[in-house]
Amino acid sequence: KRKKRGKRETKAARTDGTGTIMLNRAPCTLTSLSRIVSSTRTFPRAAARPVSQVYLDQSAAASASSEQCRQRFYCTTSPARASTAQLVKQLRELTGAPMMECKKALSDPEVGNDVQKAKEWLRKHGSAKASSKVAGREANEGLVGIQISNAGDGGQVASLVKVASETDFASRSDVFSTFVQEVANAAAAVDRVDALPDVAKFVDESQNAEGKRLTELLNDAILSIRENLQVESIHVLKTSSTKSVLAGYVHGRASPDVSCGSSAALVELEAATDEGRGEAGDAAKKLAMHVVAAKPQYLNPESVPEDVISKEKAILMEKMQGTNKPPEILEKIITGQLRKFYEGICLTEQSHLIEEGNPKVSKVLEGLGLEAKNYKLLAMGK
């Protein structure tokens, strides 16, 4: 420090990136530095900064007098390392794990404040701990996701998956919706049809496009969300011919970036000619929207199980007892009642809720030269 016009002013510290303490633009010894610091009333502000190294060069320091050293004081330091709080914040942003878990991971002797090693530590220890804590909790919320891909034989493969969570808030998070989409993408790559028999085995053995197992993705999601997450069901549909088209619809989409929502449907339509296949895509999407709204139980009357029909006939016959009507009249009445029964549970017999005027689905498809071959509906809470 020096006095100038009755005021004391401090020279600013300079750095050249070498981490060297410089006095009068020359390297100094620790002895010279301590002598100058003790001769000043106030400890230099620059000297309080962290120092990485000091050059002990007696000849260079001797060329500078004490007065010159007091007039010009320069200090250079190396960049400070990231603090623990900054590392914890960075790890939380990467994994979504709680703060205390991140601190515990970083402080582990084998980790040594390395963020990448801390991520692996959390996967090994934090995910298992979180999974054990949330296991057994009821998971009644969640999302349904779809994915439609091109098959190698020129057809299409579509998947419909259902993943449950404990709360609706968690199901709407980016972490959860991304995981649901990853499961749907992996299922669409499987060369199988309809429901997969062992969902747990599929999740344990399947991988995403980056080669990461779905089990690891599930554990990462549990670690971040801290809820019980379960892959409940997976369905895969494949076009039955080259003239068929698959289309889907997602209701209550969680995010524009994913095909996941509160309910979803897939529909397969087959065109009579190759030219009609171009219109089948739009018709299939509209019919998928109808499926989500109307919730049919069967594709057509022929697909209704015989025991279901027999049970319904028995109920209708019981209602008609005591009417004293001839058997042939009762048969006609029951046939008419069954027709209404089919309209409520069969897709092709329902009124199309998306088309103007709500015509019957079978008539709409017949006018377009299309035939409904298959469909699948999944919804949360169902």
Side-chain angles (χ1 to χ4, degrees):
K1 293 185 177 181
R2 64 179 178 179
K3 292 183 179 181
K4 184 177 181 181
R5 296 180 183 179
K7 295 183 180 180
R8 294 185 302 172
E9 57 183 30
T10 304
K11 295 297 291 182
R14 299 183 183 179
T15 177
D16 58 2
T18 63
T20 306
I21 295 180
M22 305 289 291
L23 297 180
N24 195 26
R25 302 184 186 277
C28 75
T29 65
L30 290 175
T31 305
S32 300
L33 178 61
S34 62
R35 185 176 68 249
I36 295 168
V37 170
S38 61
S39 64
T40 56
R41 298 186 200 177
T42 307
F43 191 82
R45 183 178 181 183
R49 300 180 183 179
V51 178
S52 62
Q53 70 180 93
V54 178
Y55 287 171
L56 301 180
D57 190 340
Q58 297 286 353
S59 60
S63 62
S65 64
S66 299
E67 183 62 25
Q68 288 175 329
C69 292
R70 281 193 293 268
Q71 290 177 356
R72 294 178 179 273
F73 187 90
Y74 300 97
C75 175
T76 61
T77 64
S78 59
R81 297 178 60 185
S83 64
T84 303
Q86 292 174 329
L87 293 176
V88 170
K89 180 181 178 182
Q90 182 181 356
L91 186 58
R92 288 199 67 189
E93 292 174 352
L94 292 173
T95 63
M99 182 180 66
M100 296 306 297
E101 290 289 332
C102 293
K103 290 180 67 176
K104 187 176 180 180
L106 289 168
S107 61
D108 189 90
E110 297 181 358
V111 174
N113 284 338
D114 187 286
V115 175
Q116 295 301 323
K117 292 182 179 180
K119 287 177 61 178
E120 296 299 326
W121 190 96
L122 285 173
R123 286 180 180 175
K124 295 178 181 178
H125 302 83
S127 298
K129 183 178 179 181
S131 299
S132 62
K133 283 186 175 181
V134 302
R137 296 181 187 173
E138 290 188 1
N140 299 321
E141 301 293 335
L143 291 176
V144 177
I146 66 171
Q147 174 64 25
I148 301 176
S149 305
N150 295 324
D153 56 359
Q156 291 177 298
V157 177
S159 64
L160 187 64
V161 303
K162 181 179 180 181
V163 184
S165 64
E166 294 181 39
T167 62
D168 179 69
F169 177 79
S171 67
R172 295 292 165 172
S173 65
D174 293 338
V175 174
F176 184 80
S177 60
T178 300
F179 171 70
V180 176
Q181 191 62 59
E182 291 282 12
V183 176
N185 295 345
V190 177
D191 190 16
R192 300 194 61 147
V193 181
D194 210 5
L196 297 177
D198 194 338
V199 175
K201 184 178 179 181
F202 170 79
V203 174
D204 185 59
E205 297 179 352
S206 300
Q207 299 177 347
N208 65 355
E210 289 74 27
K212 192 173 182 179
R213 291 196 309 165
L214 295 183
T215 301
E216 296 180 9
L217 296 176
L218 176 60
N219 291 334
D220 291 346
I222 293 175
L223 178 63
S224 176
I225 300 175
R226 294 284 164 161
E227 285 193 7
N228 184 21
L229 309 181
Q230 299 177 358
V231 181
E232 291 192 348
S233 58
I234 300 176
H235 298 268
V236 179
L237 273 65
K238 190 175 182 179
T239 50
S240 55
S241 69
T242 57
K243 297 179 181 180
S244 296
V245 172
L246 283 168
Y249 170 72
V250 177
H251 180 70
R253 191 182 292 264
S255 170
D257 301 328
V258 294
S259 298
C260 307
S262 57
S263 58
L266 292 171
V267 171
E268 178 192 0
L269 297 181
E270 185 180 52
T273 61
D274 293 334
E275 291 77 11
R277 193 172 185 272
E279 298 180 358
D282 184 60
K285 186 173 183 179
K286 288 183 178 180
L287 192 56
M289 297 172 66
H290 164 85
V291 169
V292 171
K295 299 177 178 58
Q297 301 178 35
Y298 305 98
L299 179 64
N300 48 42
E302 292 76 17
S303 61
V304 180
E306 189 63 34
D307 58 335
V308 175
I309 298 176
S310 301
K311 184 178 180 179
E312 185 65 21
K313 283 184 177 181
I315 294 174
L316 294 175
M317 288 293 294
E318 187 175 353
K319 289 182 179 179
M320 301 300 296
Q321 287 182 357
T323 58
N324 297 323
K325 293 182 179 182
E328 60 274 11
I329 300 297
L330 289 176
E331 187 67 25
K332 290 182 179 180
I333 294 176
I334 292 175
T335 301
Q337 292 292 327
L338 282 177
R339 190 179 299 111
K340 291 184 179 181
F341 174 69
Y342 292 144
E343 291 176 356
I345 63 173
C346 297
L347 174 60
T348 58
E349 303 305 306
Q350 291 179 333
S351 298
H352 204 309
L353 301 179
I354 308 302
E355 295 291 345
E356 185 177 356
N358 305 126
K360 187 177 289 189
V361 171
S362 58
K363 291 185 177 180
V364 173
L365 298 179
E366 183 180 354
L368 296 174
L370 303 173
E371 180 184 359
K373 302 295 291 184
N374 200 355
Y375 84 97
K376 186 65 63 177
L377 169 68
L378 280 181
M380 294 309 306
K382 302 296 182 182

